[in-house]
Amino acid sequence: MRHVFETMGTVASIELPETVTTELDTVREIFTAADQRFSLYAPESELSRIASGTLTLARASSAVRESYERSIQWRIHTSGLFSPNRPDGVIDLNGIVKAEAIERAGAHLDSVGCPSWTINVGGDILVRTDRAPWVTGIADPSDDRSLICSVVLAGSRRAVATSGSAQRGDHIWRGCELGPTHFVQVSVIADDIVTADVLATAIVAGGQEALDDVTGRWPIDVLAIDRGGALMATPGFREAIAA
Amino acid sequence: MNTRSTLGSVFASVAVLIVGWQAGGVMLAPQPTTTTSPQTSTPKSVTSQPTGTTTQAAAPAPAVAAPAATSPADGTYTGASVSTRFGNVQVAVTLTGDRITDVTPLLLTNAGAHSVQISNRAAPIVHDEVIASQSAKVSNVGGATYTTHAYLASVQSALDQAGF
């Protein structure tokens, strides 16, 4: 059964078997808690207080420090393409908190023995299946109302995240600039949602060079769409494309 | 130099060559300055000789009968698995006369990103390849972050309303 609610400035769509609908409240609470803690739009959130200087990172909650540390690790691994530090110095964990919340919500559903579910928050998707694979569409960046393709999520390939400039304008920082990117949309299929999300962001930020680098170092499947609408895909992504 | 030590040095050298070749592949990566990743590390030098490579010419090769021989008999010799900083490496060497005529890697490091790099690179695909899948019945739609407003116009919204 499908459940839809607003959270984190976007919309969550959650598919659960009817027998575990009772878990929906807990799932919802996971997103609400993350949003309250990490949002830079809420003036009283921990991140906002860190940004304004009324709270230091060292005194922040362990949840904030753990997310920050994880972000720093990813910054190192991606040579700075992914970073929790905005050029103006503000710590912005937006790039990872949504994926972490999805991860946590999925772990909760697993922990209560839910065998089959999907979580889609703002277009980033994590699934679990015990039967047929979940077929997932990828939006066409030039047309909200159509799909560029659809892919099969099965086995350990449980996550697909998409980054780009199609929905929110050019929102990905490139170095100190907030400029046009080579790829308008990059989708990454991976075993876990944080890896998928972070690397999709890194490829959008770093362009062709990052695409070649990242696909060489992580076992991920990628579809990248450039400004001219041309598609590039890894062999694994081609195989994942639904018939 | 007896046969055994000759072969030992051959295997050690070949192992180092292969490790070097693998690392060389990694160094061809567009961002050689990257030093760490969750899967692998890409060190800048591979001068480290595997220590203790008193590699013994083991196994299914033709028996090397005469220890005093100055050159080993023709045949294929399997080296011991050598532990390197990238993982284990094992090769077989075919000797003809006193020349190495073939080197077959039996075991290459799984830490090396080299093979991944070649096989996982993204390449252009044409729209025709994906068109058929556009009409597949999907349960969700992924896309670059929807705002709440943009969601309303999305395919995902339509799926949700239909209870997918």
Side-chain angles (χ1 to χ4, degrees), chain B:
Chain B
M1 216 181 191
N2 66 26
T3 304
R4 175 156 290 197
S5 64
T6 305
L7 275 173
S9 67
V10 165
F11 283 124
S13 307
V14 168
V16 168
L17 277 175
I18 286 180
V19 170
W21 169 77
Q22 286 200 304
V26 173
M27 294 300 282
L28 290 177
Q31 296 192 323
T33 51
T34 306
T35 53
T36 57
S37 80
Q39 267 73 43
T40 183
S41 60
T42 54
K44 290 195 166 41
S45 75
V46 276
T47 51
S48 73
Q49 169 84 27
T51 51
T53 46
T54 50
T55 316
Q56 294 183 4
V64 182
T70 50
S71 70
D74 289 1
T76 300
Y77 296 83
T78 302
S81 174
V82 177
S83 172
T84 75
R85 61 197 297 182
F86 301 99
N88 294 330
V89 176
Q90 186 179 30
V91 295
V93 177
T94 302
L95 296 181
T96 309
D98 54 0
R99 295 166 60 89
I100 295 175
T101 53
D102 191 24
V103 176
T104 310
L106 303 178
L107 178 66
L108 288 181
T109 71
N110 53 13
H114 187 69
S115 55
V116 177
Q117 205 155 24
I118 289 170
S119 62
N120 201 33
R121 188 164 284 223
I125 62 170
V126 292
H127 282 84
D128 286 356
E129 259 194 78
V130 302
I131 277 177
S133 76
Q134 289 170 335
S135 56
K137 179 165 168 43
V138 301
S139 56
N140 277 289
V141 177
T145 310
Y146 302 119
T147 58
T148 305
H149 184 69
Y151 166 84
L152 295 174
S154 70
V155 179
Q156 181 68 39
S157 166
L159 285 173
D160 291 341
Q161 284 174 43
F164 112 90

Side-chain angles (χ1 to χ4, degrees), chain A residues 81-124:
Chain A
L81 291 174
F82 177 90
S83 175
N85 299 102
R86 279 189 349 207
D88 63 3
V90 168
I91 293 173
D92 183 349
L93 299 176
N94 250 316
I96 201 167
V97 291
K98 188 175 71 174
E100 282 194 322
I102 294 172
E103 183 179 65
R104 212 170 299 131
H108 173 73
L109 293 175
D110 284 346
S111 74
V112 297
C114 182
S116 187
W117 46 261
T118 71
I119 300 173
N120 179 359
V121 184
D124 293 336

Side-chain angles (χ1 to χ4, degrees), chain A residues 33-241:
Chain A
D35 197 26
Q36 286 174 350
R37 199 186 285 281
F38 291 97
S39 174
L40 285 170
Y41 294 100
E44 285 309 307
S45 76
E46 267 194 85
L47 261 269
S48 290
R49 283 156 56 213
I50 291 170
S52 67
T54 57
L55 177 69
T56 62
L57 190 57
R59 289 180 176 276
S61 65
S62 60
V64 164
R65 282 184 283 124
E66 280 163 20
S67 285
Y68 183 70
E69 185 185 347
R70 197 171 182 185
S71 298
I72 292 292
Q73 289 299 320
W74 278 110
R75 184 175 75 185
I76 294 166
H77 296 323
T78 61
S79 309
L81 291 174
F82 177 90
S83 175
N85 299 102
R86 279 189 349 207
D88 63 3
V90 168
I91 293 173
D92 183 349
L93 299 176
N94 250 316
I96 201 167
V97 291
K98 188 175 71 174
E100 282 194 322
I102 294 172
E103 183 179 65
R104 212 170 299 131
H108 173 73
L109 293 175
D110 284 346
S111 74
V112 297
C114 182
S116 187
W117 46 261
T118 71
I119 300 173
N120 179 359
V121 184
D124 293 336
I125 297 162
L126 182 66
V127 307
R128 167 74 71 192
T129 177
D130 61 343
R131 300 168 279 121
W134 291 107
V135 179
T136 299
I138 304 290
D140 183 339
S142 62
D143 178 5
D144 289 347
R145 295 181 173 277
S146 62
L147 306 181
I148 195 88
C149 68
S150 57
V151 293
V152 172
L153 296 181
S156 67
R157 289 300 211 214
R158 297 175 46 217
V160 58
T162 301
S163 276
S165 50
Q167 293 282 350
R168 279 187 173 171
D170 289 309
H171 70 288
I172 291 177
W173 293 95
R174 299 184 311 121
C176 287
E177 293 168 26
L178 196 58
T181 54
H182 177 71
F183 295 122
V184 292
Q185 182 169 300
V186 172
S187 298
V188 172
I189 302 173
D191 291 358
D192 77 280
I193 188 66
V194 173
T195 299
D197 197 13
V198 166
L199 294 182
T201 304
I203 293 169
V204 172
Q208 181 69 50
E209 198 177 323
L211 176 64
D212 291 340
D213 174 44
V214 165
T215 53
R217 292 194 290 134
W218 280 274
I220 55 172
D221 303 322
V222 182
L223 176 72
I225 307 170
D226 74 16
R227 286 201 173 271
L231 307 178
M232 293 190 80
T234 58
F237 197 97
R238 289 171 118 114
E239 284 173 25
I241 290 175

